Coordinates of all heavy atoms in Angstrom, one line a residue:
W23 N -20.1 -26.8 -23.6 CA -20.6 -26.1 -24.7 C -20.7 -24.6 -24.5 O -21.7 -24.0 -24.8 CB -22.0 -26.7 -25.1 CG -22.0 -28.2 -25.3 CD1 -21.4 -28.8 -26.4 CD2 -22.4 -29.2 -24.5 NE1 -21.5 -30.1 -26.3 CE2 -22.1 -30.4 -25.1 CE3 -23.0 -29.3 -23.3 CZ2 -22.4 -31.7 -24.6 CZ3 -23.3 -30.5 -22.7 CH2 -23.0 -31.7 -23.4
G24 N -19.7 -24.1 -23.9 CA -19.6 -22.6 -23.7 C -20.2 -22.1 -22.5 O -20.3 -20.8 -22.3
F25 N -20.7 -22.9 -21.6 CA -21.4 -22.4 -20.3 C -20.3 -21.6 -19.5 O -19.3 -22.2 -19.2 CB -22.0 -23.5 -19.5 CG -22.6 -23.0 -18.2 CD1 -23.8 -22.3 -18.2 CD2 -22.0 -23.3 -17.0 CE1 -24.3 -21.9 -17.0 CE2 -22.5 -22.8 -15.8 CZ -23.7 -22.1 -15.8
D26 N -20.6 -20.4 -19.1 CA -19.7 -19.5 -18.4 C -20.3 -19.4 -17.0 O -21.2 -18.6 -16.7 CB -19.6 -18.2 -19.0 CG -18.6 -17.3 -18.3 OD1 -18.0 -17.7 -17.3 OD2 -18.4 -16.1 -18.8
G27 N -19.8 -20.2 -16.0 CA -20.4 -20.3 -14.7 C -19.8 -19.3 -13.7 O -18.6 -18.9 -13.8
V28 N -20.6 -19.0 -12.7 CA -20.1 -18.2 -11.5 C -20.4 -19.1 -10.3 O -21.5 -19.6 -10.2 CB -20.8 -16.9 -11.4 CG1 -20.3 -16.1 -10.2 CG2 -20.7 -16.0 -12.7
L29 N -19.4 -19.2 -9.5 CA -19.5 -20.2 -8.3 C -19.4 -19.4 -7.0 O -18.6 -18.5 -6.9 CB -18.3 -21.1 -8.4 CG -18.0 -22.0 -7.2 CD1 -19.2 -23.0 -6.9 CD2 -16.7 -22.8 -7.4
E30 N -20.3 -19.7 -6.1 CA -20.3 -19.1 -4.7 C -20.4 -20.2 -3.7 O -21.0 -21.3 -3.9 CB -21.5 -18.2 -4.6 CG -21.5 -17.0 -5.5 CD -22.7 -16.1 -5.3 OE1 -23.7 -16.6 -4.5 OE2 -22.7 -15.0 -5.8
I31 N -19.7 -20.0 -2.5 CA -19.9 -20.8 -1.4 C -20.5 -19.9 -0.3 O -20.0 -18.8 0.0 CB -18.6 -21.4 -0.9 CG1 -18.8 -22.3 0.4 CG2 -17.5 -20.4 -0.7 CD1 -19.6 -23.5 0.1
V32 N -21.7 -20.3 0.3 CA -22.4 -19.5 1.3 C -22.4 -20.2 2.6 O -22.6 -21.4 2.7 CB -23.9 -19.4 0.8 CG1 -24.7 -18.5 1.7 CG2 -23.9 -18.8 -0.7
A33 N -22.1 -19.4 3.7 CA -22.0 -19.9 5.0 C -23.4 -20.2 5.6 O -24.4 -19.8 5.0 CB -21.4 -18.9 5.9
P34 N -23.5 -21.0 6.6 CA -24.8 -21.3 7.2 C -25.7 -20.1 7.5 O -26.9 -20.2 7.5 CB -24.5 -22.1 8.5 CG -23.1 -22.7 8.2 CD -22.4 -21.7 7.3
G35 N -25.1 -19.0 7.9 CA -25.8 -17.8 8.2 C -26.2 -17.0 7.0 O -26.8 -15.9 7.1
G36 N -25.8 -17.4 5.8 CA -26.2 -16.7 4.6 C -25.2 -15.8 4.0 O -25.4 -15.2 2.9
Q37 N -24.0 -15.7 4.6 CA -22.9 -14.8 4.1 C -22.2 -15.5 3.0 O -21.9 -16.7 3.0 CB -21.9 -14.5 5.2 CG -20.7 -13.7 4.7 CD -19.6 -13.6 5.8 OE1 -19.7 -14.3 6.8 NE2 -18.6 -12.8 5.5
V38 N -22.0 -14.8 1.9 CA -21.3 -15.3 0.7 C -19.8 -15.2 1.1 O -19.2 -14.2 1.2 CB -21.5 -14.5 -0.6 CG1 -20.7 -15.1 -1.7 CG2 -23.0 -14.6 -0.9
L39 N -19.1 -16.4 1.3 CA -17.7 -16.4 1.7 C -16.8 -16.2 0.5 O -15.8 -15.5 0.6 CB -17.4 -17.8 2.3 CG -18.2 -18.1 3.5 CD1 -17.9 -19.5 4.1 CD2 -18.0 -17.1 4.6
Q40 N -17.2 -16.8 -0.7 CA -16.4 -16.5 -1.9 C -17.3 -16.5 -3.1 O -18.3 -17.2 -3.1 CB -15.3 -17.7 -2.1 CG -14.2 -17.7 -1.2 CD -13.0 -18.5 -1.7 OE1 -12.5 -18.3 -2.8 NE2 -12.7 -19.6 -0.9
R41 N -16.9 -15.7 -4.0 CA -17.6 -15.7 -5.4 C -16.5 -15.7 -6.4 O -15.6 -14.9 -6.4 CB -18.5 -14.5 -5.6 CG -19.1 -14.4 -7.0 CD -20.0 -13.2 -7.2 NE -21.2 -13.2 -6.3 CZ -21.5 -12.4 -5.4 NH1 -20.6 -11.4 -5.2 NH2 -22.6 -12.4 -4.7
V42 N -16.5 -16.7 -7.3 CA -15.4 -16.9 -8.2 C -16.0 -17.0 -9.7 O -17.0 -17.6 -9.9 CB -14.6 -18.2 -7.9 CG1 -13.4 -18.3 -8.9 CG2 -14.2 -18.2 -6.5
D43 N -15.3 -16.3 -10.6 CA -15.7 -16.3 -12.0 C -14.4 -16.2 -12.8 O -13.5 -15.4 -12.5 CB -16.6 -15.1 -12.3 CG -17.0 -15.1 -13.8 OD1 -17.0 -16.1 -14.4 OD2 -17.4 -14.0 -14.2
D44 N -14.3 -17.0 -13.8 CA -13.2 -17.0 -14.8 C -11.8 -17.1 -14.1 O -10.9 -16.4 -14.4 CB -13.2 -15.6 -15.5 CG -14.4 -15.5 -16.4 OD1 -15.2 -16.5 -16.5 OD2 -14.6 -14.5 -17.0
I45 N -11.6 -18.1 -13.2 CA -10.3 -18.3 -12.6 C -9.8 -19.6 -13.1 O -10.4 -20.7 -13.0 CB -10.5 -18.4 -11.1 CG1 -11.0 -17.1 -10.5 CG2 -9.1 -18.7 -10.4 CD1 -10.1 -15.9 -10.7
G46 N -8.6 -19.5 -13.8 CA -8.0 -20.7 -14.4 C -7.2 -21.5 -13.3 O -7.2 -21.1 -12.1
F47 N -6.6 -22.5 -13.7 CA -5.8 -23.4 -12.9 C -4.3 -23.2 -13.3 O -3.9 -23.4 -14.4 CB -6.2 -24.8 -13.0 CG -5.5 -25.7 -12.0 CD1 -5.7 -25.7 -10.7 CD2 -4.5 -26.6 -12.5 CE1 -5.0 -26.5 -9.8 CE2 -3.8 -27.4 -11.6 CZ -4.1 -27.4 -10.3
G48 N -3.5 -22.8 -12.3 CA -2.1 -22.6 -12.6 C -1.9 -21.5 -13.6 O -2.4 -20.4 -13.3
E49 N -1.2 -21.7 -14.7 CA -1.0 -20.7 -15.7 C -2.0 -20.7 -16.8 O -2.0 -19.9 -17.7 CB 0.4 -20.8 -16.3 CG 1.5 -20.6 -15.2 CD 2.9 -20.7 -15.9 OE1 3.0 -21.1 -17.1 OE2 3.9 -20.5 -15.1
T50 N -3.0 -21.6 -16.7 CA -4.0 -21.7 -17.7 C -5.2 -20.9 -17.4 O -5.9 -21.1 -16.3 CB -4.5 -23.2 -17.9 OG1 -3.3 -24.0 -18.2 CG2 -5.5 -23.3 -19.0
F51 N -5.6 -19.9 -18.2 CA -6.7 -19.1 -17.9 C -7.9 -19.6 -18.7 O -7.9 -19.8 -19.9 CB -6.5 -17.6 -18.4 CG -7.6 -16.7 -18.0 CD1 -7.7 -16.1 -16.8 CD2 -8.6 -16.4 -19.0 CE1 -8.7 -15.3 -16.4 CE2 -9.6 -15.5 -18.6 CZ -9.7 -15.0 -17.3
D52 N -9.0 -19.8 -18.0 CA -10.3 -20.2 -18.7 C -11.4 -19.7 -17.9 O -11.3 -18.9 -17.0 CB -10.3 -21.7 -18.8 CG -10.3 -22.4 -17.4 OD1 -10.9 -22.0 -16.5 OD2 -9.6 -23.5 -17.3
I53 N -12.7 -20.0 -18.4 CA -13.9 -19.4 -17.8 C -14.5 -20.3 -16.7 O -15.6 -20.1 -16.2 CB -14.9 -19.1 -18.9 CG1 -15.4 -20.4 -19.6 CG2 -14.4 -18.1 -19.9 CD1 -16.5 -20.2 -20.6

C-alpha cells in the first residue's frame, strides 16, 4: 500500500554496512 522502505544491515559493532533505498531488481526500478 505504497510503503517506501529503507533497509540497513548493521554489524555486531554497530557499523552500518549497507543502506539501500529504491533499488529495483534487474531492469525493473521500484521503491
Side-chain angles (χ1 to χ4, degrees):
W23 303 288
F25 177 74
D26 184 0
V28 181
L29 170 64
E30 296 179 350
I31 180 70
V32 183
Q37 177 191 8
V38 177
L39 300 178
Q40 288 196 60
R41 177 182 292 119
V42 185
D43 179 24
D44 294 354
I45 300 297
F47 182 74
E49 297 181 354
T50 302
F51 184 83
D52 58 42
I53 62 174

